[in-house]
Amino acid sequence: MSGSQPEGKPFTISKRLVWEAFEKVRSNKGAAGVDGVSVEAFEKDLKSNLYKIWNRMSSGTYFPPAVRAVEIPKPGGVGVRTLGVPTVADRVAQAAVAMFLEPEVEKVFHPDSYGYRPGRSQLDALAVCRRRCWEYGWVVDLDIAAFFDTVPHDLVMKAVEKHTEARWVLLCVQRWLVAPLRQKDGTLAARDRGTPQGSAISPLLANLFLHYALDMWLAREFPAVRFERYCDDVVVHCRTEEQARHVRDAMASRLAGLGMELHPGKTKIVYCKDRRRDGTFPCTAFTFLGYTFRTRGAKGGGGKVFTSFLPAVSAAAKKDMGYEIRSWQIGRHTDLDMKALARKVNQIVRGWINYYGVFCKSELVRLLRRINEGLVRWLVRKYKRLRRSYRRARKKLAEICQIYPGFFAHWRFGAKPAGWTMGAV
């Protein structure tokens, strides 16, 4: 992928950009697209494959293949969400365009936009949301119905055109927007709206569209409110119920003018009830990025307990993690020693702790203690002297935790086995 730009190409595209795009795709891994080519298979003829992408994009002849449709369960197991899986080559092309566009659009994005932006995370959005729930008494929990399926293509293109005149970028984006979805039965579904979740360019296009459709509109029309947006997940903070209703209704009208709508069942106005705000209202909780915000007990200085409005891991997230823990069938892995078992468990649990253990960790601790029961069953099956004696197995697990308290990630987090005592040896 070295060398200068050949003559006769209408567009100048850096070969290094294509190479760096591939490195990004490789680090993200991901499944094969409609051609069945995995990242590993793509690498076997890497130089030739990358050259084809660069050559076609430089000449304006790059046309994306169909996107493979994959259905995954929604959080909580209610319904399914359709993801679009592009081919590896197409992901490289998309990543190259996203990397080219990102420096141009990043500098204009609103500071309260957090989704898929460098140096920003879901936890950043949650921390700001928590603080503003203390400051503002009301929240509008916005849910845009089928957002990724209904984004209007003409407005997406208008937003992209505002930030670049690079014709090769505009050609590629336009073609990606209309690339068909290949369904499980092999049929192709044409698209005149929407951008499939799962593609490398989709988050940037979604952010760019919502920057103008929502962020700048809210800042202009409602300068007194505050909000956090993570892609299409939006929370708006208001001072009064009347203001919250006005914002919700205005937002519904705004989206209707763009051919979109607020989900009638999921969009709600929430009262942030705490020790200072003790009114009675029908809705006093909402979920944002896997955390449920509601009234909870908190400890202040000197250990004094008071009521606050706080986030903790949501019931839906706990349900999904509970399913995952049961699927491990820890008790059946008697072919592994405890060290290997810890590696297997910790690989996933560390991620849960790093995300869901940041706010109100006690809620996650209670869930993670279920792992200990799996370890007890593993001890009973693994060692003859513990057969048919769960009491002795629980005692043994507590002893192991006393000696090696950091062996399992959930032990370090505080989800110790029953019978564990501080300072015992």
Side-chain angles (χ1 to χ4, degrees), residues 97-133:
V97 169
M99 291 166 69
F100 179 86
L101 269 179
E102 186 177 78
E104 298 301 316
V105 299
E106 178 61 28
K107 56 192 177 188
V108 304
F109 279 157
H110 195 283
D112 286 322
S113 166
Y114 292 88
Y116 309 103
R117 294 182 59 191
R120 290 167 170 261
S121 70
Q122 291 173 302
L123 291 174
D124 293 331
L126 287 162
V128 173
C129 185
R130 179 181 64 162
R131 174 171 56 79
R132 287 176 175 165
C133 284

Side-chain angles (χ1 to χ4, degrees), residues 36 47 55 60 202 251:
K47 186 175 180 180
N55 185 50
S202 186
M251 188 72 248

Side-chain angles (χ1 to χ4, degrees), residues 372-373 376-377 379-380 385-399 417-420:
N372 294 330
E373 284 306 301
V376 168
R377 289 192 291 273
L379 287 169
V380 167
R385 65 182 182 277
L386 299 176
R387 296 273 171 87
R388 295 185 299 277
S389 180
Y390 282 84
R391 182 184 61 81
R392 289 202 307 271
R394 289 190 179 93
K395 182 179 178 182
K396 181 63 178 177
L397 189 66
E399 290 172 356
W420 178 88

